[in-house]
Amino acid sequence: MLLPTFEEYNKYGQTYNRFFIDPWYRPVKRNPPIWFFKLMVGHFKNAFDRWEEFFFNSAPPYDLQIWLFNKTFIRSEIYCAKVDHFGQTRNIFTPSTVQKSFPEQIFGGKIKAELEWVLCDDFNYFDEEDFLDIYGNLPTISKNKFIENFHADGRKYYTFKIGDVWVGRLKCIK
């Protein structure tokens, strides 16, 4: 896992990185075994610490996060976004309404203690046109628990919950 560069960060206002480990990260992505994923989480934390040092010494206000996906572990990543002022957060995911304990048996206890964690929902999103091209008709919506939503401009889109994502940030010093 490399240190971030300012090129992507400045161009898009964000940057991210994840582990691309063969054979799990191929066109059809698979989760590694739990014991191996725990090793990956340790490497994520080490990389997160290096990113924190890099951004702390070099960047305007930022929001540095680790995303640990539960069910689709291989999608886990480190993410950093520009914000207007320190302490501000940029939330990509919606906090979950369900109360769950941090899954230490999957991710490990050390990383739990070192970061603040928020449980969020991980959804697939489909604009109406894409949804109808892929899934077809309305009975598919209710059968598969798709949720109908609307963009601010009135366009329809559908979501389907695929799992959880734990979003971790450095603990604030109070």
Side-chain angles (χ1 to χ4, degrees):
M1 188 162 277
L2 304 171
L3 282 174
T5 64
F6 276 119
E7 183 178 321
E8 183 178 278
Y9 183 75
N10 287 328
K11 185 174 182 179
Y12 301 109
Q14 63 187 11
T15 187
Y16 73 94
N17 207 331
R18 59 176 60 138
F19 287 107
F20 299 96
I21 301 173
D22 197 43
W24 296 288
Y25 212 91
R26 291 186 178 177
V28 175
K29 293 164 185 53
R30 301 178 304 154
N31 283 325
I34 294 294
W35 66 267
F36 190 80
F37 186 71
K38 284 183 181 180
L39 294 175
M40 288 173 57
V41 169
H43 289 290
F44 266 116
K45 179 60 173 91
N46 291 339
F48 180 89
D49 292 341
R50 291 194 325 226
W51 279 44
E52 172 61 27
E53 184 179 341
F54 175 84
F55 281 106
F56 184 79
N57 292 325
S58 319
Y62 59 92
D63 180 19
L64 181 61
Q65 308 167 24
I66 293 181
W67 299 344
L68 297 177
F69 289 86
N70 195 356
K71 289 195 181 176
T72 54
F73 309 130
I74 199 67
R75 293 178 49 225
S76 298
E77 63 186 57
I78 296 175
Y79 171 82
C80 190
K82 287 183 183 178
V83 292
D84 294 329
H85 54 82
F86 285 105
Q88 180 183 9
T89 59
R90 184 162 169 197
N91 298 312
I92 303 295
F93 301 100
T94 304
S96 180
T97 57
V98 176
Q99 297 291 320
K100 293 183 185 178
S101 300
F102 185 84
E104 293 180 55
Q105 72 282 6
I106 297 172
F107 302 132
K110 183 178 179 192
I111 198 163
K112 177 191 177 203
E114 294 180 358
L115 300 172
E116 288 183 11
W117 294 97
V118 175
L119 175 62
C120 297
D121 294 325
D122 181 23
F123 286 98
N124 269 346
Y125 293 85
F126 302 93
D127 283 325
E128 184 175 28
E129 313 80 55
D130 296 336
F131 179 85
L132 294 174
D133 285 346
I134 296 168
Y135 292 103
N137 56 25
L138 293 177
T140 304
I141 296 170
S142 58
K143 179 180 153 194
N144 291 318
K145 299 183 181 173
F146 284 93
I147 302 166
E148 186 177 86
N149 301 283
F150 294 90
H151 293 288
D153 64 5
R155 290 179 298 122
K156 194 182 297 183
Y157 69 97
Y158 297 93
T159 58
F160 180 75
K161 184 173 179 186
I162 56 175
D164 298 325
V165 58
W166 288 90
V167 177
R169 293 181 173 93
L170 284 178
K171 292 184 177 183
C172 295
I173 301 171
K174 298 178 182 178

